[in-house]
Amino acid sequence: MTDTTAALGAAFLLLGGLRLWLAWRSRSVVVGERNGTAVIVRRRGRYRELVLRKDGRELVQSRQAVGDPLDSGPGYVDGFHVAMLLEPRPEQVLFLGGGACIAPRQFEAAYPDVSIDVVENDPWVIAAANRYFGFRITKRISVHATDARKFVKESTFGPYDLVVLDVYDAHGIPPSLRGPELFGALRSALKDSGALIANLVAGSDDVRARIAEAFRGWEIADFVVDDQNTLVLAAPSIPPREVLRERARSTKSRAGDVLRAARNGSPSAGIEPSHGRET
């Protein structure tokens, strides 16, 4: 074999390996389809993503670092832990919108006294969370495969200390979950000392207004995460930012990480709330 032939062979193998590597890095699997919405799991860099796609549009529902099932990457998910800095700290938590259930698993790992209900209406999403993201139902995490509005209005579970609202389809927050009925029912599903934290993307001003209307008399704080996501926290009383940061220093949960990142000016957890009581 000549040196030229050997070099060409090595180059061929290198290019073939590169193609396989690129395919592996960007591979995707259609888990299933329901009502025209495809549930897709794909690899993007060091993260695995759960995506909904319909009518040519798609939206990432969950992200998980490969090798770390509780790492959701940069974004809003870790910000949910800010609600756990309220007093009394929530113990009964309801997640409306499960995706791959990264946040519920974070709560289970961080707060041993918390029990969690997750509502996810698409069985294919639950199947994807189980098969590709390592999610399992446990003694402290229950999953309810039903519509969020139906669950809140008809459920015998609760009342809850905290509701985490993160309900999206391939196009955004569904129209059926933007009306006053859901938010009025949410207020009833919460204890008098409870709290709501909602992930709102750009263009959700109407939902923000629904929250303010339903939780009139409670304090509202908007935590701007990035250009696309804002977390809206509603509770009877929300401590000032300095108090939240002081509490964060004493916790080993992601709440501490989020608030410390905010103190250090991290752009990935821009917890700088506007604060006020809805009247």
Side-chain angles (χ1 to χ4, degrees):
M1 180 183 295
T2 66
D3 292 342
T4 301
T5 302
L8 288 173
F12 178 79
L13 290 173
L14 179 62
L15 288 173
L18 179 60
R19 282 195 294 268
L20 288 173
W21 181 79
L22 289 172
W24 176 79
R25 293 272 289 185
S26 60
R27 70 185 185 274
S28 63
V29 176
V30 177
V31 180
E33 186 171 325
R34 179 172 178 262
N35 298 328
T37 298
V39 178
I40 298 167
V41 175
R42 69 187 182 197
R43 178 74 178 267
R44 283 291 178 89
R46 60 181 290 260
Y47 292 99
R48 185 180 294 108
E49 294 180 338
L50 176 61
V51 181
L52 297 185
R53 180 183 296 161
K54 184 176 184 179
D55 300 330
R57 298 180 61 179
E58 65 178 37
L59 193 65
V60 176
Q61 304 293 303
S62 298
R63 184 178 292 110
Q64 180 189 62
V66 176
D68 187 349
L70 299 183
D71 181 358
S72 63
Y76 67 90
V77 172
D78 287 355
F80 288 145
H81 294 263
V82 171
M84 301 303 289
L85 298 173
L86 299 175
E87 291 185 353
R89 191 168 78 179
E91 295 182 357
Q92 295 280 116
V93 180
L94 171 63
F95 281 85
L96 295 180
C101 292
I102 309 302
R105 278 183 278 176
Q106 289 182 355
F107 274 52
E108 181 187 38
Y111 314 111
D113 53 347
V114 168
S115 62
I116 301 160
D117 285 311
V118 179
V119 174
E120 173 55 60
N121 74 329
D122 193 331
W124 286 116
V125 170
I126 299 172
N130 183 269
R131 181 173 181 181
Y132 294 97
F133 294 84
F135 171 66
R136 299 291 184 271
I137 294 173
T138 69
K139 291 182 179 179
R140 293 171 49 217
I141 300 182
S142 300
V143 175
H144 309 271
T146 186
D147 175 75
R149 186 172 56 176
K150 177 180 176 66
F151 180 87
V152 172
K153 292 178 67 175
E154 301 178 4
S155 174
T156 58
F157 297 89
Y160 293 96
D161 300 298
L162 173 65
V163 173
V164 180
L165 183 63
D166 189 23
V167 185
Y168 286 84
D169 59 20
H171 294 245
I173 301 174
S176 62
L177 299 180
R178 290 177 175 267
E181 300 88 357
L182 172 65
F183 296 98
L186 282 176
R187 178 72 181 262
S188 299
L190 284 164
K191 297 177 182 177
D192 291 339
S193 59
L196 168 78
I197 189 164
N199 170 46
L200 302 184
V201 297
S204 301
D205 292 346
D206 60 322
V207 180
R208 172 63 170 77
R210 295 294 188 195
I211 293 173
E213 180 182 358
F215 292 89
R216 193 177 302 276
W218 284 22
E219 292 187 357
I220 307 286
D222 292 354
F223 296 87
V224 178
V225 178
D226 51 38
D227 292 340
Q228 290 297 316
N229 296 85
T230 298
L231 298 179
V232 178
L233 176 64
S237 178
I238 300 175
R241 184 177 58 209
E242 293 74 16
V243 175
L244 290 175
R245 286 176 174 167
E246 184 60 35
R247 291 178 184 173
R249 293 189 187 100
S250 65
T251 180
K252 295 180 180 179
S253 76
R254 276 179 163 78
D257 296 336
V258 169
L259 270 293
R260 280 190 291 274
R263 185 181 68 248
N264 295 331
S266 168
S268 65
I271 305 298
E272 291 296 332
S274 59
H275 195 105
R277 183 177 296 275
E278 294 301 320
T279 58

